[in-house]
Amino acid sequence: MSRPDAPEPEWVRRKRLAAVFGDVLPDTTNDERDPDEAASEVGSDAWLRAQVPPHHG
């Protein structure tokens, strides 16, 4: 049984926040990734531009 005034352990806080918000931050930063890998991501602007119908310019 824990005391109500006891500080919450960091791992418990992270687990609780992950359950509510999910994992929103990537494990690596842009400078740690291969530039070619970033260009091939499905969520990139190049992929979005390729999906525009011809009549939209």
Side-chain angles (χ1 to χ4, degrees):
M1 185 169 178
S2 64
R3 299 181 354 224
D5 61 342
E8 181 178 48
E10 184 65 22
W11 71 271
V12 173
R13 185 181 79 75
R14 287 181 184 267
K15 184 176 179 182
R16 179 175 49 83
L17 291 174
V20 173
F21 297 108
D23 186 19
V24 295
L25 297 176
D27 292 335
T28 59
T29 59
N30 285 341
D31 60 335
E32 295 175 318
R33 295 185 206 125
D34 182 22
D36 296 330
E37 179 184 323
S40 67
E41 291 182 9
V42 173
S44 70
D45 287 343
W47 182 85
L48 290 173
R49 283 191 211 102
Q51 304 306 311
V52 175
H55 64 277
H56 285 283

